[in-house]
mmCIF file with all atom_site columns, all heavy atoms in Angstrom:
data_model
loop_
_atom_site.group_PDB
_atom_site.id
_atom_site.type_symbol
_atom_site.label_atom_id
_atom_site.label_alt_id
_atom_site.label_comp_id
_atom_site.label_asym_id
_atom_site.label_entity_id
_atom_site.label_seq_id
_atom_site.pdbx_PDB_ins_code
_atom_site.Cartn_x
_atom_site.Cartn_y
_atom_site.Cartn_z
_atom_site.occupancy
_atom_site.B_iso_or_equiv
_atom_site.pdbx_formal_charge
_atom_site.auth_seq_id
_atom_site.auth_comp_id
_atom_site.auth_asym_id
_atom_site.auth_atom_id
_atom_site.pdbx_PDB_model_num
ATOM 1   N N   . ARG A 1 189 ? 9.165  -12.871 -16.282 1.00 0.00 ? 189 ARG A N   1
ATOM 2   C CA  . ARG A 1 189 ? 9.098  -14.128 -15.544 1.00 0.00 ? 189 ARG A CA  1
ATOM 3   C C   . ARG A 1 189 ? 8.865  -13.869 -14.046 1.00 0.00 ? 189 ARG A C   1
ATOM 4   O O   . ARG A 1 189 ? 8.082  -14.548 -13.389 1.00 0.00 ? 189 ARG A O   1
ATOM 5   C CB  . ARG A 1 189 ? 10.401 -14.905 -15.777 1.00 0.00 ? 189 ARG A CB  1
ATOM 6   C CG  . ARG A 1 189 ? 10.495 -16.227 -15.074 1.00 0.00 ? 189 ARG A CG  1
ATOM 7   C CD  . ARG A 1 189 ? 9.537  -17.259 -15.663 1.00 0.00 ? 189 ARG A CD  1
ATOM 8   N NE  . ARG A 1 189 ? 9.662  -18.499 -14.950 1.00 0.00 ? 189 ARG A NE  1
ATOM 9   C CZ  . ARG A 1 189 ? 10.216 -19.608 -15.422 1.00 0.00 ? 189 ARG A CZ  1
ATOM 10  N NH1 . ARG A 1 189 ? 10.655 -19.643 -16.675 1.00 0.00 ? 189 ARG A NH1 1
ATOM 11  N NH2 . ARG A 1 189 ? 10.320 -20.683 -14.693 1.00 0.00 ? 189 ARG A NH2 1
ATOM 12  N N   . LEU A 1 190 ? 9.553  -12.833 -13.531 1.00 0.00 ? 190 LEU A N   1
ATOM 13  C CA  . LEU A 1 190 ? 9.378  -12.485 -12.114 1.00 0.00 ? 190 LEU A CA  1
ATOM 14  C C   . LEU A 1 190 ? 7.951  -12.020 -11.827 1.00 0.00 ? 190 LEU A C   1
ATOM 15  O O   . LEU A 1 190 ? 7.345  -12.390 -10.820 1.00 0.00 ? 190 LEU A O   1
ATOM 16  C CB  . LEU A 1 190 ? 10.364 -11.375 -11.711 1.00 0.00 ? 190 LEU A CB  1
ATOM 17  C CG  . LEU A 1 190 ? 11.834 -11.747 -11.664 1.00 0.00 ? 190 LEU A CG  1
ATOM 18  C CD1 . LEU A 1 190 ? 12.678 -10.513 -11.389 1.00 0.00 ? 190 LEU A CD1 1
ATOM 19  C CD2 . LEU A 1 190 ? 12.077 -12.790 -10.571 1.00 0.00 ? 190 LEU A CD2 1
ATOM 20  N N   . VAL A 1 191 ? 7.421  -11.188 -12.740 1.00 0.00 ? 191 VAL A N   1
ATOM 21  C CA  . VAL A 1 191 ? 6.058  -10.678 -12.556 1.00 0.00 ? 191 VAL A CA  1
ATOM 22  C C   . VAL A 1 191 ? 5.055  -11.830 -12.610 1.00 0.00 ? 191 VAL A C   1
ATOM 23  O O   . VAL A 1 191 ? 4.131  -11.905 -11.798 1.00 0.00 ? 191 VAL A O   1
ATOM 24  C CB  . VAL A 1 191 ? 5.727  -9.601  -13.625 1.00 0.00 ? 191 VAL A CB  1
ATOM 25  C CG1 . VAL A 1 191 ? 4.251  -9.229  -13.582 1.00 0.00 ? 191 VAL A CG1 1
ATOM 26  C CG2 . VAL A 1 191 ? 6.573  -8.358  -13.413 1.00 0.00 ? 191 VAL A CG2 1
ATOM 27  N N   . VAL A 1 192 ? 5.274  -12.748 -13.565 1.00 0.00 ? 192 VAL A N   1
ATOM 28  C CA  . VAL A 1 192 ? 4.359  -13.891 -13.705 1.00 0.00 ? 192 VAL A CA  1
ATOM 29  C C   . VAL A 1 192 ? 4.385  -14.746 -12.435 1.00 0.00 ? 192 VAL A C   1
ATOM 30  O O   . VAL A 1 192 ? 3.347  -15.083 -11.873 1.00 0.00 ? 192 VAL A O   1
ATOM 31  C CB  . VAL A 1 192 ? 4.704  -14.727 -14.962 1.00 0.00 ? 192 VAL A CB  1
ATOM 32  C CG1 . VAL A 1 192 ? 3.966  -16.055 -14.950 1.00 0.00 ? 192 VAL A CG1 1
ATOM 33  C CG2 . VAL A 1 192 ? 4.361  -13.943 -16.229 1.00 0.00 ? 192 VAL A CG2 1
ATOM 34  N N   . GLU A 1 193 ? 5.587  -15.076 -11.955 1.00 0.00 ? 193 GLU A N   1
ATOM 35  C CA  . GLU A 1 193 ? 5.697  -15.891 -10.735 1.00 0.00 ? 193 GLU A CA  1
ATOM 36  C C   . GLU A 1 193 ? 5.004  -15.188 -9.565  1.00 0.00 ? 193 GLU A C   1
ATOM 37  O O   . GLU A 1 193 ? 4.313  -15.815 -8.770  1.00 0.00 ? 193 GLU A O   1
ATOM 38  C CB  . GLU A 1 193 ? 7.169  -16.152 -10.371 1.00 0.00 ? 193 GLU A CB  1
ATOM 39  C CG  . GLU A 1 193 ? 7.881  -17.149 -11.286 1.00 0.00 ? 193 GLU A CG  1
ATOM 40  C CD  . GLU A 1 193 ? 7.533  -18.617 -10.992 1.00 0.00 ? 193 GLU A CD  1
ATOM 41  O OE1 . GLU A 1 193 ? 6.611  -18.877 -10.211 1.00 0.00 ? 193 GLU A OE1 1
ATOM 42  O OE2 . GLU A 1 193 ? 8.188  -19.496 -11.587 1.00 0.00 ? 193 GLU A OE2 1
ATOM 43  N N   . HIS A 1 194 ? 5.222  -13.886 -9.469  1.00 0.00 ? 194 HIS A N   1
ATOM 44  C CA  . HIS A 1 194 ? 4.622  -13.123 -8.380  1.00 0.00 ? 194 HIS A CA  1
ATOM 45  C C   . HIS A 1 194 ? 3.096  -13.141 -8.490  1.00 0.00 ? 194 HIS A C   1
ATOM 46  O O   . HIS A 1 194 ? 2.390  -13.341 -7.508  1.00 0.00 ? 194 HIS A O   1
ATOM 47  C CB  . HIS A 1 194 ? 5.125  -11.682 -8.424  1.00 0.00 ? 194 HIS A CB  1
ATOM 48  C CG  . HIS A 1 194 ? 5.005  -10.993 -7.125  1.00 0.00 ? 194 HIS A CG  1
ATOM 49  N ND1 . HIS A 1 194 ? 6.056  -10.834 -6.263  1.00 0.00 ? 194 HIS A ND1 1
ATOM 50  C CD2 . HIS A 1 194 ? 3.935  -10.435 -6.524  1.00 0.00 ? 194 HIS A CD2 1
ATOM 51  C CE1 . HIS A 1 194 ? 5.635  -10.212 -5.190  1.00 0.00 ? 194 HIS A CE1 1
ATOM 52  N NE2 . HIS A 1 194 ? 4.352  -9.947  -5.316  1.00 0.00 ? 194 HIS A NE2 1
ATOM 53  N N   . GLY A 1 195 ? 2.612  -12.947 -9.730  1.00 0.00 ? 195 GLY A N   1
ATOM 54  C CA  . GLY A 1 195 ? 1.162  -12.952 -9.969  1.00 0.00 ? 195 GLY A CA  1
ATOM 55  C C   . GLY A 1 195 ? 0.542  -14.285 -9.598  1.00 0.00 ? 195 GLY A C   1
ATOM 56  O O   . GLY A 1 195 ? -0.532 -14.332 -8.969  1.00 0.00 ? 195 GLY A O   1
ATOM 57  N N   . LEU A 1 196 ? 1.213  -15.380 -9.939  1.00 0.00 ? 196 LEU A N   1
ATOM 58  C CA  . LEU A 1 196 ? 0.684  -16.710 -9.626  1.00 0.00 ? 196 LEU A CA  1
ATOM 59  C C   . LEU A 1 196 ? 0.554  -16.891 -8.110  1.00 0.00 ? 196 LEU A C   1
ATOM 60  O O   . LEU A 1 196 ? -0.303 -17.621 -7.636  1.00 0.00 ? 196 LEU A O   1
ATOM 61  C CB  . LEU A 1 196 ? 1.583  -17.801 -10.218 1.00 0.00 ? 196 LEU A CB  1
ATOM 62  C CG  . LEU A 1 196 ? 1.597  -17.864 -11.756 1.00 0.00 ? 196 LEU A CG  1
ATOM 63  C CD1 . LEU A 1 196 ? 2.688  -18.795 -12.245 1.00 0.00 ? 196 LEU A CD1 1
ATOM 64  C CD2 . LEU A 1 196 ? 0.244  -18.299 -12.301 1.00 0.00 ? 196 LEU A CD2 1
ATOM 65  N N   . GLY A 1 197 ? 1.409  -16.205 -7.395  1.00 0.00 ? 197 GLY A N   1
ATOM 66  C CA  . GLY A 1 197 ? 1.369  -16.260 -5.924  1.00 0.00 ? 197 GLY A CA  1
ATOM 67  C C   . GLY A 1 197 ? 0.075  -15.704 -5.342  1.00 0.00 ? 197 GLY A C   1
ATOM 68  O O   . GLY A 1 197 ? -0.208 -15.916 -4.174  1.00 0.00 ? 197 GLY A O   1
ATOM 69  N N   . HIS A 1 198 ? -0.683 -14.963 -6.148  1.00 0.00 ? 198 HIS A N   1
ATOM 70  C CA  . HIS A 1 198 ? -1.948 -14.403 -5.657  1.00 0.00 ? 198 HIS A CA  1
ATOM 71  C C   . HIS A 1 198 ? -3.146 -15.292 -5.953  1.00 0.00 ? 198 HIS A C   1
ATOM 72  O O   . HIS A 1 198 ? -4.281 -14.931 -5.642  1.00 0.00 ? 198 HIS A O   1
ATOM 73  C CB  . HIS A 1 198 ? -2.172 -13.005 -6.235  1.00 0.00 ? 198 HIS A CB  1
ATOM 74  C CG  . HIS A 1 198 ? -1.229 -11.999 -5.660  1.00 0.00 ? 198 HIS A CG  1
ATOM 75  N ND1 . HIS A 1 198 ? -1.376 -11.501 -4.393  1.00 0.00 ? 198 HIS A ND1 1
ATOM 76  C CD2 . HIS A 1 198 ? -0.102 -11.446 -6.154  1.00 0.00 ? 198 HIS A CD2 1
ATOM 77  C CE1 . HIS A 1 198 ? -0.390 -10.665 -4.145  1.00 0.00 ? 198 HIS A CE1 1
ATOM 78  N NE2 . HIS A 1 198 ? 0.405  -10.618 -5.192  1.00 0.00 ? 198 HIS A NE2 1
ATOM 79  N N   . LEU A 1 199 ? -2.903 -16.455 -6.584  1.00 0.00 ? 199 LEU A N   1
ATOM 80  C CA  . LEU A 1 199 ? -4.007 -17.383 -6.861  1.00 0.00 ? 199 LEU A CA  1
ATOM 81  C C   . LEU A 1 199 ? -4.379 -18.125 -5.579  1.00 0.00 ? 199 LEU A C   1
ATOM 82  O O   . LEU A 1 199 ? -3.521 -18.314 -4.707  1.00 0.00 ? 199 LEU A O   1
ATOM 83  C CB  . LEU A 1 199 ? -3.586 -18.396 -7.927  1.00 0.00 ? 199 LEU A CB  1
ATOM 84  C CG  . LEU A 1 199 ? -3.440 -17.849 -9.342  1.00 0.00 ? 199 LEU A CG  1
ATOM 85  C CD1 . LEU A 1 199 ? -2.733 -18.861 -10.229 1.00 0.00 ? 199 LEU A CD1 1
ATOM 86  C CD2 . LEU A 1 199 ? -4.810 -17.502 -9.927  1.00 0.00 ? 199 LEU A CD2 1
ATOM 87  N N   . PRO A 1 200 ? -5.640 -18.547 -5.478  1.00 0.00 ? 200 PRO A N   1
ATOM 88  C CA  . PRO A 1 200 ? -5.999 -19.322 -4.290  1.00 0.00 ? 200 PRO A CA  1
ATOM 89  C C   . PRO A 1 200 ? -5.332 -20.703 -4.341  1.00 0.00 ? 200 PRO A C   1
ATOM 90  O O   . PRO A 1 200 ? -4.893 -21.139 -5.408  1.00 0.00 ? 200 PRO A O   1
ATOM 91  C CB  . PRO A 1 200 ? -7.519 -19.448 -4.399  1.00 0.00 ? 200 PRO A CB  1
ATOM 92  C CG  . PRO A 1 200 ? -7.831 -19.244 -5.833  1.00 0.00 ? 200 PRO A CG  1
ATOM 93  C CD  . PRO A 1 200 ? -6.765 -18.369 -6.404  1.00 0.00 ? 200 PRO A CD  1
ATOM 94  N N   . PHE A 1 201 ? -5.235 -21.354 -3.219  1.00 0.00 ? 201 PHE A N   1
ATOM 95  C CA  . PHE A 1 201 ? -4.606 -22.680 -3.182  1.00 0.00 ? 201 PHE A CA  1
ATOM 96  C C   . PHE A 1 201 ? -5.377 -23.564 -2.221  1.00 0.00 ? 201 PHE A C   1
ATOM 97  O O   . PHE A 1 201 ? -6.199 -23.068 -1.442  1.00 0.00 ? 201 PHE A O   1
ATOM 98  C CB  . PHE A 1 201 ? -3.148 -22.566 -2.732  1.00 0.00 ? 201 PHE A CB  1
ATOM 99  C CG  . PHE A 1 201 ? -3.014 -21.958 -1.374  1.00 0.00 ? 201 PHE A CG  1
ATOM 100 C CD1 . PHE A 1 201 ? -3.100 -22.748 -0.236  1.00 0.00 ? 201 PHE A CD1 1
ATOM 101 C CD2 . PHE A 1 201 ? -2.841 -20.592 -1.219  1.00 0.00 ? 201 PHE A CD2 1
ATOM 102 C CE1 . PHE A 1 201 ? -3.023 -22.187 1.029   1.00 0.00 ? 201 PHE A CE1 1
ATOM 103 C CE2 . PHE A 1 201 ? -2.764 -20.023 0.042   1.00 0.00 ? 201 PHE A CE2 1
ATOM 104 C CZ  . PHE A 1 201 ? -2.849 -20.822 1.165   1.00 0.00 ? 201 PHE A CZ  1
ATOM 105 N N   . THR A 1 202 ? -5.142 -24.868 -2.303  1.00 0.00 ? 202 THR A N   1
ATOM 106 C CA  . THR A 1 202 ? -5.731 -25.763 -1.311  1.00 0.00 ? 202 THR A CA  1
ATOM 107 C C   . THR A 1 202 ? -4.589 -26.466 -0.589  1.00 0.00 ? 202 THR A C   1
ATOM 108 O O   . THR A 1 202 ? -3.486 -26.596 -1.145  1.00 0.00 ? 202 THR A O   1
ATOM 109 C CB  . THR A 1 202 ? -6.635 -26.827 -1.992  1.00 0.00 ? 202 THR A CB  1
ATOM 110 O OG1 . THR A 1 202 ? -5.918 -27.363 -3.113  1.00 0.00 ? 202 THR A OG1 1
ATOM 111 C CG2 . THR A 1 202 ? -7.932 -26.223 -2.476  1.00 0.00 ? 202 THR A CG2 1
ATOM 112 N N   . GLU A 1 203 ? -4.856 -26.920 0.617   1.00 0.00 ? 203 GLU A N   1
ATOM 113 C CA  . GLU A 1 203 ? -3.803 -27.593 1.371   1.00 0.00 ? 203 GLU A CA  1
ATOM 114 C C   . GLU A 1 203 ? -3.623 -29.008 0.838   1.00 0.00 ? 203 GLU A C   1
ATOM 115 O O   . GLU A 1 203 ? -4.570 -29.646 0.390   1.00 0.00 ? 203 GLU A O   1
ATOM 116 C CB  . GLU A 1 203 ? -4.155 -27.622 2.850   1.00 0.00 ? 203 GLU A CB  1
ATOM 117 C CG  . GLU A 1 203 ? -3.876 -26.274 3.499   1.00 0.00 ? 203 GLU A CG  1
ATOM 118 C CD  . GLU A 1 203 ? -4.402 -26.162 4.902   1.00 0.00 ? 203 GLU A CD  1
ATOM 119 O OE1 . GLU A 1 203 ? -4.585 -27.213 5.545   1.00 0.00 ? 203 GLU A OE1 1
ATOM 120 O OE2 . GLU A 1 203 ? -4.627 -25.035 5.339   1.00 0.00 ? 203 GLU A OE2 1
ATOM 121 N N   . LYS A 1 204 ? -2.379 -29.476 0.841   1.00 0.00 ? 204 LYS A N   1
ATOM 122 C CA  . LYS A 1 204 ? -2.112 -30.816 0.333   1.00 0.00 ? 204 LYS A CA  1
ATOM 123 C C   . LYS A 1 204 ? -0.944 -31.423 1.109   1.00 0.00 ? 204 LYS A C   1
ATOM 124 O O   . LYS A 1 204 ? 0.044  -30.738 1.395   1.00 0.00 ? 204 LYS A O   1
ATOM 125 C CB  . LYS A 1 204 ? -1.732 -30.705 -1.155  1.00 0.00 ? 204 LYS A CB  1
ATOM 126 C CG  . LYS A 1 204 ? -1.532 -32.040 -1.834  1.00 0.00 ? 204 LYS A CG  1
ATOM 127 C CD  . LYS A 1 204 ? -1.143 -31.846 -3.286  1.00 0.00 ? 204 LYS A CD  1
ATOM 128 C CE  . LYS A 1 204 ? -0.923 -33.182 -3.951  1.00 0.00 ? 204 LYS A CE  1
ATOM 129 N NZ  . LYS A 1 204 ? -0.535 -33.036 -5.359  1.00 0.00 ? 204 LYS A NZ  1
#
Side-chain angles (χ1 to χ4, degrees):
R189 180 70 180 251
L190 291 174
V191 171
V192 168
E193 287 282 10
H194 202 100
L196 293 170
H198 290 285
L199 289 168
F201 59 86
T202 46
E203 282 171 23
K204 184 181 179 180

